[in-house]
Amino acid sequence: MEHAQEVTDSYFVSRYRTIYTWQELGIPGIRMFGKHTMTQACGPLSPHFHRNAYEITFVTEGAIHFTTQEKDYELSGSDVFMTRPNEVHSTNFRPLSAGEIIWFQLDISNPEQFLFLSRDAAEELMADLAAMDSPVFRPGSRVFKDIRRAFELAGTYSQRHLVCAYLTLALYELTAAYRRQAEIPGRQEKAFSPDIEKAVSYIRSNLTRELSLEELAKLCRLSVSQFKQKFRAQVGIAPRHYVNYHKIQLAKKMLLDGTSVTDTAMELGFGSSSYFTVVFRRYSACTPSEFLRTESNNRHTEEDG
């Protein structure tokens, strides 16, 4: 990540992506507030950082990878990912998969101008954020409700104090969730019920099979509708998307190891190479052939360097 750039977002509104900057928001300390709904995979985030600002990303749906200089993190719906001021992060050349994120940047450069709080309250909240030594959290559904509500109101300047109240509440809930996690020895970032844990393990161990929802629901002793609802609530992504997402991650390894596109499609139970290509593009923003060309070019660039 040697070539990281500082990124400053601009106001932008489209069907799938909306970004409000501090000019539209009018909230001291909130540099930007955005939402991105991805119906299919899009290009990766290159290494970048935000000067004097935390970036807090709420994964409301789907799966996404983030990378810092410390580690790779695999996130899914109901996860929150936080980068520290000036911390370099990216998706490590991985595309953003289908799903949805809501995120904002919290500028800590001036405690006198911070979320309409008094200086003492601002410094205390900043200290609580600085004490959080894990970048990944599962704070619960209430935080996500607050974030969604804040974003619904964010486009109306007259509602800025209410938007700020929701965001401030979310930050306090986030720091409280961190303290709860820290009190549990050997805590896991994700805790599934035994039946869903069994399904997740079974999926990861059987990616070369054609896995049906009926089979997975039976494994959990649930109806298909109960299984889909429970799986999505705990894992943060629909079971079919979870299966296909991890099949494509395995497919990339197989392709890089020299397995042909057709053989990879067959071994992973896709039925045809054309259907495999459709699914691959959905989760990778490119075809298998384009993926191999990009990887080959990257290797040659590294060797030449």
Side-chain angles (χ1 to χ4, degrees):
M1 294 197 186
E2 297 85 355
H3 306 296
Q5 295 182 336
E6 181 179 359
V7 169
T8 302
D9 293 283
S10 302
Y11 174 71
F12 181 84
V13 176
S14 71
R15 181 178 178 184
Y16 299 110
R17 182 179 176 89
T18 299
I19 294 177
Y20 300 113
T21 69
W22 64 270
Q23 290 100 325
E24 294 82 42
L25 295 167
I27 302 172
I30 301 297
R31 188 175 293 175
M32 62 75 63
F33 193 11
K35 179 180 178 181
H36 191 180
T37 302
M38 298 152 282
T39 57
Q40 62 180 17
C42 58
L45 295 176
S46 58
H48 65 285
F49 66 93
H50 308 288
R51 191 177 302 277
N52 296 326
Y54 288 92
E55 185 170 70
I56 304 175
T57 301
F58 298 77
V59 184
T60 58
E61 186 176 345
I64 186 173
H65 280 81
F66 276 115
T67 298
T68 66
Q69 291 176 312
E70 302 292 329
K71 187 179 177 183
D72 268 349
Y73 300 92
E74 182 179 319
L75 312 172
S76 57
S78 300
D79 283 336
V80 178
F81 181 74
M82 183 177 78
T83 57
R84 295 176 173 278
N86 311 312
E87 182 176 23
V88 177
H89 56 286
S90 71
T91 57
N92 198 20
F93 304 109
R94 297 184 180 93
L96 291 167
S97 189
E100 182 182 83
I101 58 173
I102 300 175
W103 78 106
F104 65 91
Q105 291 167 12
L106 189 65
D107 190 327
I108 61 167
S109 58
N110 186 2
E112 297 282 0
Q113 298 289 322
F114 190 74
L115 305 175
F116 300 115
L117 295 174
S118 68
R119 184 183 181 95
D120 287 346
E123 289 179 342
E124 183 177 341
L125 181 53
M126 289 180 185
D128 286 342
L129 291 168
M132 296 163 67
D133 61 1
S134 171
V136 179
F137 312 93
R138 287 209 128 196
S141 60
R142 178 175 172 175
V143 178
F144 279 78
K145 289 179 182 177
D146 291 338
I147 289 299
R148 288 190 181 97
R149 184 58 176 150
F151 194 81
E152 288 171 2
L153 298 170
T156 306
Y157 186 82
S158 63
Q159 297 288 339
R160 63 190 182 280
H161 291 94
L162 186 53
V163 173
C164 183
Y166 278 116
L167 290 175
T168 305
L169 180 58
L171 288 169
Y172 281 121
E173 289 173 331
L174 197 59
T175 58
Y178 166 76
R179 287 192 291 271
R180 288 194 301 271
Q181 290 180 10
E183 291 170 357
I184 303 173
R187 70 188 187 278
Q188 292 183 335
E189 290 167 354
K190 295 184 181 181
F192 303 139
S193 60
D195 52 355
I196 298 302
E197 178 65 48
K198 187 176 183 180
V200 167
S201 298
Y202 186 79
I203 291 169
R204 299 293 283 266
S205 300
N206 291 275
L207 290 172
T208 56
R209 295 186 54 242
E210 186 174 348
L211 298 167
S212 69
L213 294 182
E214 289 76 13
E215 177 184 5
L216 296 171
K218 185 177 180 180
L219 183 71
C220 296
R221 298 184 179 180
L222 297 169
S223 68
V224 171
S225 60
Q226 288 173 327
F227 169 70
K228 289 167 65 177
Q229 183 178 17
K230 192 171 184 179
F231 190 98
R232 185 166 191 155
Q234 294 189 28
V235 183
I237 183 173
R240 177 51 58 199
H241 286 316
Y242 186 86
V243 169
N244 284 339
Y245 175 82
H246 286 286
K247 278 180 178 283
I248 296 307
Q249 303 315 304
L250 178 56
K252 291 177 181 178
K253 295 178 182 178
M254 294 171 65
L255 291 168
L256 291 174
D257 287 340
T259 307
S260 71
V261 172
T262 299
D263 287 346
T264 299
M266 296 302 106
E267 288 187 37
L268 292 176
F270 281 100
S272 71
S273 57
S274 59
Y275 177 57
F276 169 61
T277 297
V278 169
V279 177
F280 194 98
R281 182 190 289 275
R282 174 176 172 78
Y283 292 94
S284 301
C286 63
T287 66
S289 298
E290 290 168 343
F291 167 75
L292 286 171
R293 278 199 299 273
T294 300
E295 290 297 314
S296 177
N297 291 337
N298 289 339
R299 277 199 303 272
H300 290 153
T301 300
E302 291 174 0
E303 290 170 359
D304 292 342

